[in-house]
């Protein structure tokens, strides 16, 4: 009896004990919260990262969609998670740098409630015109808008999105006034562009690429400082006369605030390792994105800088959500 009791005690204390904080990280599945619906860019990048981490370092990483309210519901869920590295989130510029200046009340603070892990990738937007429309270049659009302010419509995937704000920034820098027509996603916006109901849209490269390749839509410009490898023949807004114009959508992993730094550094190291792999870079490039290995500090600086940038644009353009 005594021997059996001693064996039970040893099992309880050592071999049969559940994983504890002292065990090497990670010792249980890691969940990546995806704050948008399946099929979009954020979902694609989240699943690519989860699958590659599971494959390369043999971690058990799963992506879980928690969509709603422009990505703010999923982000808010992650902010309230236990800071142990087992629940992280794929954030992006809309819900980390834009939303705080658009929504009066958020369930999270993008600066205080998270520990940035690292940027996964970034991608520019593209300004697209209909094939049979009057605009064959960005200059055509801007010249027409200057001659007839407030008469030219443009579409975006939604009010308050980075695509909407990119158009507002162009208006501020070019001194023009366009009329915003918000849609419920890139698909409906593109459909109306092709149907001639709206002459121009601002959208993501993956959303526009099929129609551009088919010749049914005309790319006027991409929004990054440098040309996109996905569309190397399309000029940037910057090179067309607006050198300070730079709009890029970035995606990155974050953990709840107070997650231990050794865990953050482990996650950052393995994230950057997979971003250096050619198949991962090719997968991102197929979505119009470029892999962007960074340190947690660099990611934090990006969030803070874009938060300040888009707050000033929102105020200057007097953007309000209806």
């Amino acid at each position: 009896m005594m021997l059996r009791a001693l064996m039970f005690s040893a099992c309880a204390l050592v071999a049969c004990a559940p994983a504890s904080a002292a065990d090497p990280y990670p010792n249980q599945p890691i969940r990546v919260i995806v704050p948008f619906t399946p099929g979009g860019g954020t979902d694609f990048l989240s699943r690519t990262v989860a699958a590659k981490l599971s494959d390369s370092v043999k971690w058990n990483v799963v992506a879980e969609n928690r969509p709603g309210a422009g990505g703010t519901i999923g982000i808010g869920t992650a902010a309230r998670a236990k800071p142990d590295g087992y629940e992280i989130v794929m954030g992006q510029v809309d819900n980390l740098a834009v939303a705080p200046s658009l929504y009066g009340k958020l369930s999270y603070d993008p600066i205080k409630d998270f520990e940035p892990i690292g940027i996964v990738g970034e991608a520019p937007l593209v300004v697209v015109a209909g094939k049979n429309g009057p605009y064959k270049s960005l200059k055509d659009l801007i010249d027409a808008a200057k001659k007839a302010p407030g008469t030219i419509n443009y579409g975006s995937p939604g009010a308050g999105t980075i695509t909407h704000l990119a158009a507002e920034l162009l208006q501020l820098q070019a001194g023009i006034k366009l009329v915003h027509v918000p849609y419920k996603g890139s698909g409906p916006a593109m459909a109306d562009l092709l149907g001639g109901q709206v002459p121009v849209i601002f959208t993501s490269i993956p959303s526009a690429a099929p129609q551009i390749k088919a010749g049914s839509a005309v790319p006027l410009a991409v929004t990054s400082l440098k040309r996109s490898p996905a569309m190397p023949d399309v000029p940037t807004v910057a090179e067309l006369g607006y050198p300070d114009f730079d709009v890029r959508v970035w995606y990155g992993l974050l953990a709840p605030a107070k997650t231990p730094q050794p865990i953050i550094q482990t996650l950052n190291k393995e994230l950057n390792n997979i971003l250096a792999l050619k198949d991962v870079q090719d997968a991102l490039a197929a979505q119009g994105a470029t892999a962007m290995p960074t340190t947690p500090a660099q990611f934090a600086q990006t969030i803070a800088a874009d938060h300040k940038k888009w707050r000033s644009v929102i105020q200057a353009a007097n953007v309000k959500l209806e």
Side-chain angles (χ1 to χ4, degrees), residues 175-196:
I176 59 175
K177 181 61 180 175
L178 304 172
V179 179
H180 183 215
V181 181
Y183 290 86
K184 294 182 178 180
S186 298
M190 180 58 74
D192 270 12
L193 178 78
L194 299 179

Side-chain angles (χ1 to χ4, degrees), residues 167-229:
E168 294 293 341
L169 180 60
L170 177 62
Q171 292 175 77
L172 290 171
Q173 292 195 6
I176 59 175
K177 181 61 180 175
L178 304 172
V179 179
H180 183 215
V181 181
Y183 290 86
K184 294 182 178 180
S186 298
M190 180 58 74
D192 270 12
L193 178 78
L194 299 179
Q197 284 78 26
V198 64
V200 176
I201 64 171
F202 287 66
T203 190
S204 66
I205 287 180
S207 299
Q211 300 301 334
I212 291 172
K213 290 177 181 177
S216 53
V218 180
L220 305 184
V222 294
T223 62
S224 49
L225 284 176
K226 296 181 180 179
R227 294 194 181 198
S228 169

Side-chain angles (χ1 to χ4, degrees), residues 126-175:
V126 61
V127 188
V128 187
K131 176 184 177 181
N132 299 318
Y135 313 120
K136 307 303 180 186
S137 69
L138 188 68
K139 184 177 185 300
D140 289 344
L141 173 63
I142 292 173
D143 287 348
K146 287 183 176 179
K147 291 178 181 177
T151 64
I152 299 172
N153 293 342
Y154 77 91
S156 85
T161 60
I162 194 68
T163 45
H164 171 203
L165 295 183
E168 294 293 341
L169 180 60
L170 177 62
Q171 292 175 77
L172 290 171
Q173 292 195 6

Side-chain angles (χ1 to χ4, degrees), residues 210-267:
Q211 300 301 334
I212 291 172
K213 290 177 181 177
S216 53
V218 180
L220 305 184
V222 294
T223 62
S224 49
L225 284 176
K226 296 181 180 179
R227 294 194 181 198
S228 169
M231 295 184 175
D233 296 329
V234 180
T236 68
V237 175
E239 69 186 84
L240 293 175
Y242 305 93
D244 295 329
F245 194 94
D246 183 21
V247 178
R248 286 165 288 170
V249 180
W250 43 256
Y251 309 82
L253 290 176
L254 306 99
K258 298 183 181 179
T259 299
Q261 283 304 304
I263 291 177
I264 297 296
Q265 294 301 326
T266 296
L267 287 165

Side-chain angles (χ1 to χ4, degrees), residues 78-153:
R80 297 185 295 275
K82 187 177 179 180
D84 57 6
Y86 293 104
E87 195 162 55
I88 60 179
V89 66
M90 183 70 79
Q92 40 106 283
V93 63
D94 282 290
N95 45 41
L96 291 174
V98 173
S101 297
L102 282 176
Y103 296 94
K105 293 182 180 179
L106 283 178
S107 63
Y108 61 91
D109 183 308
I111 307 298
K112 297 178 181 179
D113 290 343
F114 296 98
E115 297 287 347
I117 295 167
I119 296 176
V120 173
E122 65 174 24
L125 303 172
V126 61
V127 188
V128 187
K131 176 184 177 181
N132 299 318
Y135 313 120
K136 307 303 180 186
S137 69
L138 188 68
K139 184 177 185 300
D140 289 344
L141 173 63
I142 292 173
D143 287 348
K146 287 183 176 179
K147 291 178 181 177
T151 64
I152 299 172
N153 293 342

